[in-house]
Amino acid sequence: MPPSEDLLLTLFQLCAQSKERTHLPDFLICKLKNTLLSGVNLLVHQTASTYEQSTFLRLSVLWLKDQVQSSALDNTSLQVLLSAAGDLLGTLVESEDTSLLGVYIGSVMPSDSEWEKMRQALPVQWLHRPLLEGRLSLNYECFKTDFKEQDTKTLPNHLCTSSLLSKMILVAQKKKLVLEDNVLEKIIAELLYSLQWCEELDNAPSFLSGFCGILQKMNITYSNLSVLSETSSLLQLLFDRSRKNGTLWSLIIAKLILSRSISSDEVKPYYKRKESFFPLTEGSLHTIQSLCPFLSKEEKKEFSAQCIPAFLGWTKEDLCSINGAFGHLAIFNSCLQTRSIDDKQLLHGILKIITSWRKQHEDIFLFSCNLSEASPEVLGLNIEIMRFLSLFLKHCAYPLPLADSEWDFIMCSMLAWLETTSENQALYSVPLVQLFACVSFDLACDLCAFFDSITPDIVDNLPVNLISEWKEFFSKGIHSLLLPLLVNAIGENKDLSETSFQNAMLKPMCETLTYISKDQLLSHKLPARLVASQKTNLPEHLQTLLNTLTPLLLFRARPVQIAAYHMLCKLMPELPQHDQDNLRSYGDEEEEPALSPPAALMSLLSSQEELLENVLGCVPVGQIVTVKPLSEDFCYVLGYLLTWKLILTFFKAASSQLRALYSMYLRKTKSLNKLLYHLFRLMPENPTYGETAIEVSSKDPKTFFTEEVQLSIRETATLPYHIPHLACSVYHMTLKDLPAMVRLWWNSSEKRVFNIVDRFTSKYVSNVLSFQEISSVQTSTQLFNGMTVKARATTREVMATYTIEDIVIELIIQLPSNYPLGSITVESGKRIGVAVQQWRNWMLQLSTYLTHQNGSIMEGLALWKNNVDKRFEGVEDCMICFSVIHGFNYSLPKKACRTCKKKFHSACLYKWFTSSNKSTCPLCRETFF
């Protein structure tokens, strides 16, 4: 090797490696680079060296191949290498030898066997998502999920090689280069393979995102490369590989059509002859599955027709093979998933065929068995049968009249598969077993959804005892299996991301549990979980349920949090009654008696407040925080807001007396104040629904306050709006159910916060709440003996007319424009037969009740009427608060002075004694005994 070329090779190696390897300063690398490019320029121009003559060119190719195929490169190293190779080729482009560039790129190009080896070396965890989403079907085990991820940032060799060659052909496009043997198409195909592998990975390491970022930065994209090649020859290559190997190659074709990089018309010539896909191989199965979403209805029908004969196979092998029932049912399911098969009689016929398999080959149905003994082929077939039954329920179980035996087959099979799933928790690390678990939960969930949405006209077409059997046996069976299973599954790992394959089963399991009934929850068989320090009036089985489900509101996976919320929400209305039974023990002798909402919820809330303080505490009120969906902070904020929705639901279900005690507890702990500050960091400045944002000027635009938040487990499209919408929902509930406490907080807040809250509430919430309050008065079925209540929506007024004998009292309640923050005004209407002073007292009482009670206008009026009734019955006012019924604990004046005989409320006396530091009667000033 000539010394000059030896020097050039050394310079190239120094310029093509990262500073971490060479330890050279930037200015020196810059000088070396200029020297290298000048030397290469001389080499290709003055000496007119060909590739065979130049030792430097041949050895640089060998070194580059070794770097990308054998060395451990990270993102930084790859970026430096691509940049250096690009500079080198930029110089070679200027060569007078037109073949030099093509020969150089062709020499770097690996052989077919080398490419295959690199593809095989890519971790196959990419298969998780396509399997779970039903885009691909497998009936063999190709990997385990109980692998330990290497703590490394090394890029797979396939990614490095495909990106290097892509960079080279982009540089070479300056010359109209013709590469032999489809080299150009092969390079583009391999780059697409690398990109598809990255895209399919769940929870991909951050360095892979960095790799994709480098490609974008260097313009190494399909759109830039596709202009260099004919689409037809590239598609032919992709189809050939898809038909031969399936897997990622099939997904690449679907991705290109979906991204509109190619049109479905361009793809049609490659699948014109449907018969060519049969007999089925894994490649042809995956190709059809990937094309399914883009086929016309007629084309799908043709593929479906090809599948029917295979369902009539007689041996177990016929049923479980790819070219048998398994593969053809997988294609049929892919067509059915896109709602393109509307022949309900055909689907009914296939259901009958599957039912006949049960009679002929009972052992292929994995009912209540050990899955470690089941073959992957049988597992794959069971997965496809469950998928078919789920799709059948969604698309045609109604109005098709199924026989009793067919409903029995569907429901009994579902429960038996669930039992298998429950008994094989130890095998969840095996992908096909976990997939089996997911689709068994899906089937249970679809059955729950079907029976939950039944309307009276559907009931008439169902077998007579079907609904009662569902409720009494099958629904109960599902939830008695799933509730303990959820508790066990999450007990093993407290920090699972919802997108990980190990956690994939949580989505369908949790969605199924949202259908659990209150009675099924109350009859749970969970192991006892009691906390000695909890003060509670709840029976032990309810304590266990709350102590088990409440911590799930802080679990790292969103499906678990939402399922726990839905289950607890069904329990909340049941809980206040247990405090109501013990109400007498809270009260009279204390100045400000308080009672805690459920201890399990308040304990969790305390932990959440600390976490939220770390996340939001340093943010000024009014500055909106955007929480990244599915991040750790998202989990904390979501759990906190869901906990508050539960507390407010519980609060709403309580009686007036209990609400007073609970609200005093919240005031003492300052929990509500903390919530309100956080809400004004989480609610958006403009809470208008995204779809109507353009129509903000319309009369009644949809907002997060007019539309109820949908806490869906599967729906992820609205995740960016999840927290803002939920925060608005909680604020709406707080204003509606705790107006007095919000008003107290608002009046005591600093001026800046005061103005922010007033402006936002007046603009977006007050109209909604006023309308709801007026509507509730208009539609109220509550009847008052001797009092009529009417409402006017346009003027925000409620009129109450109280009549007893010859006495008529008319009051007009006016809601403020910033309701419920501003004070409600009570104005005088008619007044017949009542002294002026008494009249003023009663107006003041109603105004006080409406201002300081955490309830609705109707509740305030009911309390006021009760007070007036007692007055006419001869019960005297308490001479401290001038009211018959105490405004807080609703008690009557019972404590009488022995001297003047006047009676007082116990709470009023307690406050009088402690504030005056005297023990004398407030009226006669004699010592009070």
Side-chain angles (χ1 to χ4, degrees):
M1 180 175 182
S4 58
E5 296 200 32
D6 189 15
L7 175 62
L8 283 178
L9 182 63
T10 306
L11 290 175
F12 178 63
Q13 290 171 347
L14 287 172
C15 292
Q17 294 183 81
S18 66
K19 286 194 290 184
E20 285 73 19
R21 298 279 295 276
T22 61
H23 305 290
L24 296 175
D26 288 341
F27 78 91
L28 188 53
I29 291 174
C30 191
K31 286 184 176 180
L32 293 176
K33 179 179 166 185
N34 291 334
T35 308
L36 166 68
L37 296 179
S38 300
V40 174
N41 197 35
L42 278 170
L43 183 71
V44 297
H45 280 91
Q46 295 185 12
T47 60
S49 291
T50 62
Y51 177 78
E52 290 76 15
Q53 292 169 334
S54 170
T55 314
F56 162 71
L57 292 176
R58 281 185 286 109
L59 289 181
S60 66
V61 162
L62 292 174
W63 186 80
L64 278 173
K65 285 186 76 169
D66 179 67
Q67 286 294 297
V68 291
Q69 290 185 40
S70 306
S71 300
L73 297 178
D74 59 15
N75 279 328
T76 308
S77 304
L78 178 66
Q79 193 168 3
V80 172
L81 184 74
L82 294 182
S83 182
D87 291 337
L88 175 62
L89 258 75
T91 310
L92 297 183
V93 164
E94 308 301 326
S95 168
E96 294 172 6
D97 183 356
T98 53
S99 64
L100 179 60
L101 206 55
V103 173
Y104 194 87
I105 293 173
S107 303
V108 177
M109 182 79 175
S111 63
D112 288 347
S113 60
E114 286 173 325
W115 276 123
E116 184 58 32
K117 186 179 175 184
M118 285 187 281
R119 288 195 293 269
Q120 293 290 337
L122 284 170
V124 289
Q125 274 64 43
W126 68 268
L127 262 169
H128 296 164
R129 255 172 61 198
L131 281 177
L132 286 170
E133 292 167 7
R135 287 184 285 141
L136 297 180
S137 296
L138 285 183
N139 66 346
Y140 62 90
E141 283 295 354
C142 61
F143 59 92
K144 300 278 183 185
T145 60
D146 52 353
F147 69 100
K148 288 188 178 177
E149 289 187 23
Q150 296 175 337
D151 184 22
T152 175
K153 294 183 179 178
T154 303
L155 291 165
N157 297 128
H158 188 276
L159 272 61
C160 298
T161 308
S162 63
S163 55
L164 173 67
L165 284 160
S166 300
K167 175 68 178 175
M168 286 180 154
I169 58 174
L170 278 175
V171 173
Q173 71 176 326
K174 292 173 186 173
K175 269 196 173 182
K176 289 190 177 176
L177 188 67
V178 179
L179 294 170
E180 296 177 0
D181 300 327
N182 277 354
V183 167
L184 182 59
E185 286 75 20
K186 286 179 182 177
I187 292 172
I188 296 173
E190 296 296 345
L191 180 73
L192 289 172
Y193 193 93
S194 287
L195 293 173
Q196 194 68 31
W197 178 81
C198 292
E199 186 177 318
E200 295 294 348
L201 276 179
D202 270 330
N203 293 334
S206 57
F207 68 86
L208 282 182
S209 306
F211 166 76
C212 295
I214 289 171
L215 296 191
Q216 287 286 342
K217 204 173 178 180
M218 294 190 158
N219 297 316
I220 304 173
T221 60
Y222 171 73
S223 56
N224 286 337
L225 292 167
S226 60
V227 296
L228 310 179
S229 161
E230 285 185 21
T231 306
S232 58
S233 52
L234 174 63
L235 276 176
Q236 186 64 61
L237 178 65
L238 290 173
F239 260 92
D240 290 345
R241 292 189 177 183
S242 177
R243 293 278 292 276
K244 183 181 178 183
N245 303 305
T247 61
L248 265 179
W249 292 114
S250 303
L251 298 179
I252 290 168
I253 296 170
K255 169 72 176 177
L256 287 180
I257 301 173
L258 194 64
S259 63
R260 298 183 181 174
S261 299
I262 55 174
S263 69
S264 49
D265 289 337
E266 288 177 294
V267 179
K268 271 185 181 177
Y270 302 96
Y271 61 81
K272 215 161 194 175
R273 286 188 63 252
K274 313 290 181 299
E275 299 78 15
S276 65
F277 286 95
F278 300 91
L280 277 182
T281 61
E282 183 182 302
S284 57
L285 167 63
H286 289 171
T287 305
I288 297 169
Q289 284 187 303
S290 294
L291 284 173
C292 241
F294 314 104
L295 299 177
S296 70
K297 204 168 187 178
E298 289 307 312
E299 287 165 336
K300 287 176 194 171
K301 280 184 178 175
E302 287 176 37
F303 272 119
S304 303
Q306 294 274 357
C307 296
I308 308 299
F311 298 151
L312 305 173
W314 292 297
T315 67
K316 183 177 176 181
E317 287 70 28
D318 286 338
L319 293 178
C320 296
S321 68
I322 283 182
N323 192 38
F326 161 75
H328 292 83
L329 189 56
I331 291 174
F332 200 85
N333 285 341
S334 294
C335 294
L336 190 54
Q337 206 163 9
T338 55
R339 298 193 176 215
S340 53
I341 301 174
D342 49 15
D343 186 344
K344 292 184 167 44
Q345 295 302 327
L346 170 64
L347 295 172
H348 195 184
I350 292 172
L351 176 63
K352 288 180 176 177
I353 292 172
I354 292 172
T355 310
S356 72
W357 295 348
R358 173 88 174 95
K359 294 170 186 168
Q360 296 161 9
H361 304 285
E362 189 173 348
D363 58 330
I364 69 166
F365 285 83
L366 299 173
F367 295 161
S368 308
C369 62
N370 183 352
L371 291 183
S372 63
E373 297 168 4
S375 70
E377 291 82 6
V378 174
L379 263 171
L381 180 61
N382 275 259
I383 287 165
E384 294 305 328
I385 293 172
M386 283 189 268
R387 278 194 171 137
F388 172 79
L389 293 178
S390 276
L391 291 164
F392 181 84
L393 281 169
K394 284 178 184 172
H395 302 321
C396 63
Y398 174 80
L400 209 60
L402 298 184
D404 279 8
S405 59
E406 289 164 340
W407 275 114
D408 281 348
F409 170 73
I410 293 172
M411 297 199 295
C412 292
S413 299
M414 173 274 301
L415 208 50
W417 276 317
L418 266 192
E419 284 172 1
T420 302
T421 297
S422 179
E423 291 162 10
N424 287 273
Q425 294 176 56
L427 297 173
Y428 284 171
S429 61
V430 181
L432 280 184
V433 172
Q434 177 136 158
L435 189 55
F436 178 94
C438 287
V439 291
S440 69
F441 295 145
D442 278 331
L443 179 57
C445 186
D446 290 330
L447 270 167
C448 288
F450 177 81
F451 283 100
D452 193 58
S453 61
I454 281 182
T455 54
D457 57 319
I458 297 178
V459 173
D460 298 337
N461 290 287
L462 297 175
V464 179
N465 297 320
L466 184 67
I467 293 177
S468 59
E469 285 175 9
W470 168 257
K471 287 180 179 174
E472 292 165 18
F473 181 73
F474 293 104
S475 176
K476 198 176 283 185
I478 290 171
H479 296 112
S480 65
L481 284 170
L482 291 199
L483 190 55
L485 190 60
L486 175 68
V487 174
N488 291 340
I490 61 176
E492 294 166 12
N493 195 330
K494 297 292 180 191
D495 188 31
L496 279 176
S497 163
E498 74 170 271
T499 53
S500 67
F501 185 72
Q502 293 93 324
N503 219 16
M505 59 166 198
L506 287 180
K507 242 177 200 170
M509 186 200 300
C510 289
E511 188 171 8
T512 309
L513 279 169
T514 62
Y515 290 99
I516 193 169
S517 70
K518 179 187 70 180
D519 293 336
Q520 287 166 351
L521 276 171
L522 293 173
S523 59
H524 71 86
K525 298 288 188 293
L526 294 170
R529 188 173 293 185
L530 306 174
V531 179
S533 59
Q534 282 183 358
K535 289 182 181 179
T536 179
N537 294 314
L538 298 176
E540 289 188 357
H541 77 284
L542 270 177
Q543 289 184 52
T544 292
L545 203 51
L546 284 183
N547 289 331
T548 302
L549 296 180
T550 302
L552 306 189
L553 291 166
L554 256 187
F555 192 75
R556 184 67 175 85
R558 186 182 62 98
V560 176
Q561 292 178 289
I562 292 175
Y565 166 78
H566 280 296
M567 288 188 277
L568 287 165
C569 203
K570 289 168 187 169
L571 292 176
M572 288 301 115
E574 297 296 305
L575 306 183
Q577 185 56 46
H578 298 281
D579 285 334
Q580 189 73 36
D581 298 339
N582 294 273
L583 191 58
R584 288 183 183 177
S585 59
Y586 302 93
D588 283 356
E589 302 309 318
E590 291 184 49
E591 178 194 357
E592 290 183 329
L595 179 60
S596 169
L601 275 177
M602 298 315 293
S603 172
L604 177 73
L605 187 66
S606 178
S607 306
Q608 290 170 329
E609 284 172 350
E610 290 180 26
L611 293 168
L612 263 285
E613 193 58 35
N614 294 333
V615 177
L616 303 173
C618 57
V619 180
V621 175
Q623 183 176 318
I624 313 306
V625 176
T626 302
V627 184
K628 183 185 175 187
L630 305 185
S631 63
E632 197 171 0
D633 288 350
F634 182 92
C635 153
Y636 296 151
V637 175
L638 177 65
Y640 178 70
L641 294 175
L642 291 177
T643 303
W644 265 108
K645 272 184 83 75
L646 290 170
I647 292 170
L648 292 165
T649 304
F650 167 83
F651 190 89
K652 191 171 185 177
S655 66
S656 301
Q657 293 95 322
L658 281 175
R659 283 211 300 269
L661 293 168
Y662 296 142
S663 60
M664 183 52 68
Y665 181 87
L666 294 178
R667 191 187 300 177
K668 285 181 175 178
T669 58
K670 291 190 167 58
S671 294
L672 187 72
N673 291 10
K674 294 172 189 172
L675 168 71
L676 292 165
Y677 283 123
H678 289 324
L679 290 179
F680 278 91
R681 296 175 176 119
L682 295 169
M683 291 189 293
E685 286 180 25
N686 180 4
T688 308
Y689 238 58
E691 62 199 54
T692 59
I694 306 162
E695 310 161 20
V696 178
S697 58
S698 68
K699 192 177 178 184
D700 293 310
K702 289 182 180 178
T703 71
F704 290 156
F705 293 102
T706 59
E707 307 303 305
E708 185 54 50
V709 61
Q710 299 300 316
L711 294 169
S712 166
I713 286 174
R714 304 260 182 163
E715 181 57 56
T716 53
T718 57
L719 270 182
Y721 310 105
H722 220 61
I723 295 296
H725 197 168
L726 195 54
C728 290
S729 174
V730 172
Y731 187 54
H732 180 273
M733 288 180 78
T734 311
L735 287 172
K736 193 173 183 181
D737 300 324
L738 294 170
M741 291 189 68
V742 178
R743 197 176 294 120
L744 192 68
W745 166 77
W746 176 63
N747 282 319
S748 61
S749 59
E750 61 179 88
K751 189 174 180 182
R752 188 183 69 84
V753 175
F754 181 96
N755 291 333
I756 289 170
V757 174
D758 187 32
R759 198 162 47 243
F760 183 86
T761 308
S762 302
K763 188 172 181 180
Y764 296 112
V765 200
S766 294
N767 283 338
V768 178
L769 280 173
S770 297
F771 177 76
Q772 290 172 348
E773 193 68 68
I774 298 292
S775 297
S776 70
V777 172
Q778 290 171 334
T779 57
S780 174
T781 55
Q782 187 176 356
L783 297 174
F784 298 106
N785 186 19
M787 186 168 80
T788 58
V789 182
K790 295 178 183 176
R792 294 192 195 124
T794 50
T795 54
R796 295 188 185 187
E797 286 179 348
V798 176
M799 289 170 296
T801 308
Y802 180 94
T803 311
I804 184 168
E805 296 177 359
D806 296 332
I807 296 169
V808 178
I809 303 170
E810 188 179 88
L811 296 171
I812 300 167
I813 300 163
Q814 178 77 52
L815 302 186
S817 61
N818 62 347
Y819 177 79
L821 297 179
S823 297
I824 295 171
T825 56
V826 179
E827 295 173 0
S828 171
K830 287 181 188 174
R831 173 174 61 85
I832 301 171
V834 181
V836 174
Q837 189 55 46
Q838 185 63 62
W839 172 247
R840 285 178 181 162
N841 278 351
W842 283 340
M843 283 183 61
L844 181 63
Q845 283 168 16
L846 179 56
S847 181
T848 303
Y849 288 155
L850 293 174
T851 304
H852 297 294
Q853 294 308 304
N854 289 300
S856 66
I857 287 175
M858 290 299 280
E859 287 172 325
L861 281 170
L863 182 62
W864 177 81
K865 179 185 179 295
N866 200 5
N867 195 60
V868 177
D869 286 346
K870 294 291 181 189
R871 185 75 181 81
F872 282 113
E873 286 169 16
V875 182
E876 291 188 13
D877 291 342
C878 163
M879 298 309 289
I880 298 174
C881 69
F882 297 103
S883 178
V884 177
I885 297 172
H886 190 268
F888 181 78
N889 60 24
Y890 306 92
S891 62
L892 295 173
K894 293 176 184 174
K895 300 289 183 184
C897 172
R898 291 185 183 179
T899 308
C900 65
K901 309 302 182 194
K902 286 290 182 184
K903 291 183 179 178
F904 305 90
H905 296 120
S906 300
C908 290
L909 269 180
Y910 187 93
K911 198 165 188 176
W912 168 262
F913 293 151
T914 51
S915 60
S916 66
N917 292 319
K918 294 176 183 176
S919 56
T920 57
C921 169
L923 204 60
C924 68
R925 304 294 176 176
E926 291 294 326
T927 303
F928 199 99
F929 293 103

